[in-house]
Amino acid sequence: MNGSSSVPFLSADDVNSLVSMSDTIEALRAAFSERRPAPERGVAPFDLGNLLTMPAVAGPSAGVKIITLVPGNPERGLPAIQGLYVLFSAVDGRVRALLDGGCLTALRTPAASGLAADYLAPVTATTIGIIGAGVQGRGHLQAMLVVRPTLSSVVIASRSSESAEALVAVARAEGLQARVGSIQEASRCEIVCACTSAQQPILPDSLSEWTFLSAIGAYLPDQAEMSPSLVASADVWVDAEAAARVEAGDLIQAVDAGTWAWNDLRGDLVDLVTSAAPLSSDRPRIFKSVGLSIEDLTLADLAATRAGIEP
């Protein structure tokens, strides 16, 4: 931890040393069980990407994540997501801490997928396909191993052969059988994680009935990783319905195509955590995530508290 004496700064290394993926999954489980609200995200586009602002308040804490998302940055040797989190006290309004914003996204997005997988993925799953081998691909592999330690093999699909081989090495270091494959091969696994910046559908139009798919790309209405046909073929869950109706391009486009309707939505993370909706067993299960501000606040508050920074 470093920074000025009045406002501590928690770097990515600080946050990762204070909070594990397992910690994050359990913190999100508690947050959704309390039905904490998640205000809408603000999006301001610029030439190469978007500026995003994500405010939230819960109990004695408040905060806002301010990040830029530039999909082409990895090709320039820069992170796709860069930013800052400002954590406030909701008791007296002071700034409690500043945190690296990119690392919060890198942790909480796969943790949310892991939380959903804990309820929706096959209990004895042994195979996982990762589509997109960047920061989120690595994080999703880590999260799925937390909730499904039965996993033994992984297929990595990526536009970048270098990134794919790097993630294969990470998986092998975890004791998994790992190889580079196609999107179609990755999609035949029991657990599939789509972690791409795709603008148009890249996934097959159908999946096996036992498949769990977490799709985290397409956070704007004109983007999609999944086709309307794929959406219509599965039971769909989201992180929060209000956010999905505004931001989940895959689902919005399925509605526009007339193949799926919001009434077909099975539920959200609150429903999963509180067992408010039944599960079916004869269709693929999709978790569509757009990312919620309450997830960032939950993680930032946990890291700050463990660093001794009180509300």
Side-chain angles (χ1 to χ4, degrees):
M1 183 174 68
N2 51 62
S4 68
S5 58
S6 58
V7 181
F9 175 70
L10 299 181
S11 68
D13 287 343
D14 292 329
V15 173
N16 288 323
S17 69
L18 291 163
V19 185
S20 69
M21 181 63 73
S22 178
D23 294 333
T24 307
I25 291 171
E26 293 311 313
L28 294 187
R29 196 190 308 271
F32 285 108
S33 70
E34 295 171 5
R35 302 175 183 267
R36 296 179 183 176
E40 287 186 18
R41 169 175 25 223
V43 181
F46 55 92
D47 287 345
L48 298 178
N50 291 287
L51 172 68
L52 310 178
T53 56
M54 302 180 68
V57 178
S61 299
V64 59
K65 186 171 73 174
I66 307 166
I67 61 171
T68 55
L69 176 53
V70 181
N73 263 3
E75 298 171 5
R76 305 180 184 91
L78 296 171
I81 296 175
Q82 301 174 84
L84 187 68
Y85 197 91
V86 186
L87 180 65
F88 296 90
S89 167
V91 177
D92 56 21
R94 75 186 187 285
V95 178
R96 288 175 61 193
L98 304 176
L99 300 90
D100 181 278
C103 80
L104 297 185
T105 305
L107 263 176
R108 61 80 157 153
T109 303
S113 293
L115 180 60
D118 202 20
Y119 297 93
L120 299 175
V123 175
T124 59
T126 60
T127 60
I128 178 170
I130 303 290
I131 303 169
V135 170
Q136 285 298 327
R138 289 179 179 235
H140 274 73
L141 178 59
Q142 183 183 8
M144 296 304 157
L145 286 171
V146 169
V147 299
R148 290 296 182 269
T150 52
L151 291 171
S152 59
S153 66
V154 58
V155 178
I156 309 295
S158 175
R159 293 181 304 173
S160 166
S161 59
E162 182 178 352
S163 296
E165 291 292 352
L167 188 50
V168 163
V170 170
R172 287 174 177 168
E174 294 285 347
L176 300 176
Q177 296 178 347
R179 65 180 178 89
V180 176
S182 67
I183 291 175
Q184 289 71 25
E185 290 173 311
S187 298
R188 288 196 285 268
C189 295
E190 293 161 285
I191 295 176
V192 181
C193 300
C195 311
T196 78
S197 58
Q199 303 296 300
Q200 301 295 326
I202 58 169
L203 294 165
D205 285 340
S206 62
L207 298 170
S208 297
E209 65 180 30
W210 36 257
T211 302
F212 166 74
L213 165 65
S214 177
I216 68 154
Y219 69 98
L220 293 174
D222 61 351
Q223 300 175 345
E225 292 177 303
M226 301 181 287
S227 68
S229 296
L230 176 54
V231 173
S233 72
D235 286 347
V236 180
W237 305 76
V238 295
D239 40 10
E241 182 176 350
R245 282 177 174 267
V246 176
E247 300 174 357
D250 318 78
L251 305 187
I252 292 169
Q253 291 174 38
V255 172
D256 291 343
T259 62
W260 187 81
W262 290 108
N263 287 340
D264 296 324
L265 184 68
R266 295 301 306 274
D268 59 19
L269 283 175
V270 169
D271 295 321
L272 287 174
V273 171
T274 60
S275 301
L279 302 180
S280 68
S281 59
D282 59 349
R283 282 158 58 92
R285 297 172 181 176
I286 292 174
F287 173 64
K288 172 59 189 175
S289 169
V290 295
L292 303 176
S293 59
I294 194 62
E295 298 165 353
D296 296 303
L297 177 59
T298 298
L299 178 53
D301 180 66
L302 177 60
T305 299
R306 288 191 171 179
I309 304 169
E310 298 300 328

